[in-house]
Amino acid sequence: MTACTLALLLGAPAAALAQPAPAAPAAAPAPPPPATDRIAEALAPQPGGLTPDEAARIALRTRPSLRVKQAELRAAAARVDQALLNYLPRVTVAAGYTRLSRVQNVLGAPSTSYVGTNLDPANPQVIPVQQGPLVSQPCPPPLSGNCVTDIAGTPITAVQTPAFSFPVLLNSYSLTASISVPISDYVLRISQGYASASHAESAKRIELEAEGLTIAADAKVAFFNWVRAKGSAVVAKEAVAQAEAHLKDANLTFQAGLISKADVLRLEAQVASAQQVQADADALAALAEEQIRVSLMLPAGKPLTIGVDVLHASAEPSTVQLTALQDEALARRLEIRALDETEHSLKKQVSLTRAGYFPRIDGFAEGQYQNPNQRVFPQTDEFRFTWNAGVRLSWTINDTLTTIPAVTEAQSRVEQIAAQKEQLLQGLKVEVASAYAELKRAEANIDAADRGLAAAEEGVRVQNELFRAGRATGVALVDAEAELTRARLRRVDARVGILVARTRLEHATGRDVEKASNAQKNP
């Protein structure tokens, strides 16, 4: 409930109830007890109470949006590790077993050849056969009958030569190790990919810090708004009490026949309106407290008290000009640095995509330990080691064609980030201007509220003096106290407002970046 709304409800004058003071009272009536500053009591700091800085620290531990940024940072760091591992050659190790089907491997066909021999079983010798026609003549002793001889008379023997074949091994075992070195990727892809991933990780880290600062600022503002809601609830309660006091005096005056029934009904309507305002203010205060509990994950049974003095904070006006504050924001805000890192990352992605225009050059080497080894002939049932090495040039024409639109897409993302950065710069200037205007308004409200409070306090003092002298009624004194309550509310609203404005301006200009850095260095 705002101070203006409460002021309107509290502002119903009771002038219609005021009666001319007696000219010569017999004795000065006893004045009512001095009004107690219920707002100061409700907003007084308590030992162990919640402070804005403590609310910010708790929010940094419990806010889910910060955990989302932390998960994004871990994912970006993992991509950096992946890009770094691309510098290593690709090593592959494989082991295998193969069962082969049975086949017959035969080279040529059986043949018959003729050799010369002396046909002596005791002394067999192979004698060269003389070229020429074969003849049939009696065999030399100890053989009998006719023999086939060459022209020199050497007996000829026919020998059957089988076809050539070799065994087939049905079980095949292999151990293979290979290494591949992407030579062209070191120049065109890997370094750009690693730089892109590194800038992306840096952007996520900065975004995490910026999210933490936003959460801290929002937690502080929520704390101050809760304090403001508590003050408004107290004022609404006081308004009900004052309206009921007015109604009580009006009933007595009506019974004395000094006012009309319409005056009484008007005050009854004021009481009802004040009670409605109190219900709304209590509901808003309860909602603000529940928001603090939920956002900070505080237990429901834990009492929530104020641990900082919001009524006596320094109200020294700021002397920094708006343009200087805007320049300060552009130099300090982490969101700009995050977009810078994202832009660098996307530019490296463009270079990485352009690598698709060029062919690949890869060096490779492979070692095989196999049984049987396919490179050994004939195959034997034993393990043999062989190796090979070389350089391969490959160029996929389709990849070159698809690279053209891929580069265009990557460049479009760079342009998109550049436009977002320009939009962010404009938005930051507006944010700083809004926070600056709010601060100036809060500083002016504090001065007006302090002067209004001093006037209201003086008005209560004067009414007390007049009441003691019998020159004022209790209704006039109640009205003065009501104005004092409104003045205290305006003062609370102004004091809380300047704290909120300073918090927002501190975040808008990026001054909380330095404070957070110093807090990490000096915990």
Side-chain angles (χ1 to χ4, degrees):
M1 180 61 61
T2 62
C4 295
T5 304
L6 292 173
L8 291 174
L9 293 172
L10 289 172
L17 305 181
Q19 301 298 318
T36 303
D37 191 348
R38 303 294 182 185
I39 300 177
E41 290 182 355
L43 304 185
Q46 303 295 327
L50 186 65
T51 65
D53 292 336
E54 184 181 1
R57 287 193 297 269
I58 297 175
L60 291 177
R61 296 195 304 266
T62 59
R63 196 64 60 88
S65 60
L66 193 64
R67 295 198 296 271
V68 171
K69 293 296 182 181
Q70 291 171 345
E72 292 177 354
L73 176 59
R74 289 194 297 270
R79 288 191 289 269
V80 172
D81 294 339
Q82 294 173 3
L84 182 61
L85 291 175
N86 288 334
Y87 281 102
L88 301 178
R90 185 177 298 277
V91 178
T92 304
V93 179
Y97 164 76
T98 304
R99 176 67 178 181
L100 304 176
S101 63
R102 191 178 300 275
V103 296
Q104 290 184 355
N105 293 324
V106 180
L107 299 180
S111 61
T112 302
S113 61
Y114 299 92
V115 298
T117 180
N118 60 4
L119 302 179
D120 184 1
N123 187 21
Q125 293 180 350
V126 177
I127 301 172
V129 177
Q130 298 293 325
Q131 291 185 0
L134 300 179
V135 299
S136 178
Q137 60 183 356
C139 294
L143 299 177
S144 62
N146 291 331
C147 292
V148 178
T149 66
D150 59 6
I151 59 175
T154 303
I156 299 301
T157 302
V159 179
Q160 183 72 29
T161 303
F164 178 73
S165 64
F166 51 89
V168 176
L169 302 178
L170 303 182
N171 295 316
S172 176
Y173 306 90
S174 66
L175 295 174
T176 305
S178 63
I179 182 172
S180 177
V181 181
I183 299 173
S184 59
D185 285 355
Y186 284 133
V187 180
L188 301 176
R189 289 181 173 87
I190 297 179
S191 58
Q192 286 81 355
Y194 179 74
S196 176
S198 299
H199 284 298
E201 181 194 17
S202 179
K204 291 301 180 182
R205 181 175 289 106
I206 296 174
E207 288 178 5
L208 175 62
E209 295 177 7
E211 181 68 17
L213 295 177
T214 301
I215 290 174
D218 291 343
K220 292 179 181 179
V221 171
F223 170 84
F224 292 131
N225 288 333
W226 167 62
V227 173
R228 194 201 308 261
K230 285 178 65 70
S232 298
V234 172
V235 171
K237 183 178 180 180
E238 290 291 300
V240 172
Q242 292 162 1
E244 290 176 346
H246 279 290
L247 180 60
K248 182 179 179 180
D249 288 344
N251 284 325
L252 295 177
T253 308
F254 173 73
Q255 292 175 3
L258 300 178
I259 62 175
S260 67
K261 185 62 175 180
D263 295 327
V264 177
L265 294 176
R266 185 171 63 250
L267 290 178
E268 288 180 352
Q270 181 183 4
V271 170
S273 178
Q275 290 173 344
Q276 182 180 1
V277 170
Q278 181 184 8
D280 293 342
D282 290 342
L284 290 176
L287 177 60
E289 181 172 342
E290 185 63 20
Q291 288 176 340
I292 288 287
R293 289 185 182 277
V294 172
S295 62
L296 303 184
M297 294 186 179
L298 300 176
K302 180 181 179 180
L304 194 58
T305 57
I306 301 174
V308 64
D309 188 2
V310 298
L311 298 180
H312 300 88
S314 173
E316 183 178 355
S318 174
T319 58
V320 184
Q321 298 299 318
L322 175 60
T323 55
L325 293 174
Q326 290 175 333
D327 294 339
E328 190 175 350
L330 299 183
R332 290 185 176 182
R333 285 293 291 266
L334 296 179
E335 291 84 352
I336 301 177
R337 291 165 51 190
L339 284 182
D340 288 339
E341 292 296 325
T342 302
E343 186 176 7
H344 291 320
S345 174
L346 293 178
K347 288 181 178 179
K348 292 298 181 180
Q349 282 290 334
V350 174
S351 300
L352 176 61
T353 307
R354 286 199 179 106
Y357 289 135
F358 307 101
R360 292 181 57 90
I361 301 177
D362 298 284
F364 63 89
E366 185 178 59
Q368 297 176 338
Y369 188 58
Q370 296 178 321
N371 177 18
N373 194 303
Q374 303 299 320
R375 294 178 55 193
V376 177
F377 184 83
Q379 295 181 352
T380 57
D381 189 10
E382 62 178 336
F383 279 94
R384 299 288 295 273
F385 176 77
T386 56
W387 62 271
N388 62 83
V391 178
R392 181 185 301 108
L393 174 66
S394 59
W395 191 7
T396 304
I397 304 301
N398 289 356
D399 289 348
T400 302
L401 297 177
T402 57
T403 297
I404 298 175
V407 170
T408 303
E409 180 184 0
Q411 290 174 337
S412 299
R413 288 197 294 267
V414 175
E415 296 172 358
Q416 179 182 1
I417 290 298
Q420 289 180 359
K421 181 180 177 181
E422 183 178 355
Q423 184 180 7
L424 175 64
L425 295 178
Q426 296 175 354
L428 288 181
K429 288 183 178 180
V430 174
E431 182 181 352
V432 173
S434 175
Y436 180 78
E438 183 180 358
L439 177 63
K440 289 303 179 182
R441 183 177 65 85
E443 291 173 352
N445 287 344
I446 280 187
D447 180 67
D450 288 343
R451 288 187 284 107
L453 178 62
E457 290 175 343
E458 179 63 17
V460 170
R461 187 191 67 79
V462 170
Q463 290 297 328
N464 274 319
E465 293 294 335
L466 292 175
F467 188 85
R468 292 191 187 95
R471 299 172 56 189
T473 64
V475 172
L477 186 58
V478 170
D479 286 340
E481 291 174 351
E483 180 59 32
L484 178 61
T485 300
R486 290 193 296 272
R488 288 169 177 171
L489 174 61
R490 289 192 292 268
R491 177 169 175 266
V492 170
D493 189 70
R495 290 288 177 177
V496 174
I498 197 170
L499 293 175
V500 172
R502 285 174 178 174
T503 300
R504 289 176 174 166
L505 184 62
E506 180 181 79
H507 178 65
T509 57
R511 294 178 179 176
D512 51 355
V513 177
E514 184 177 357
K515 288 186 176 181
S517 178
N518 294 334
Q520 292 179 355
K521 293 179 181 178
N522 304 306

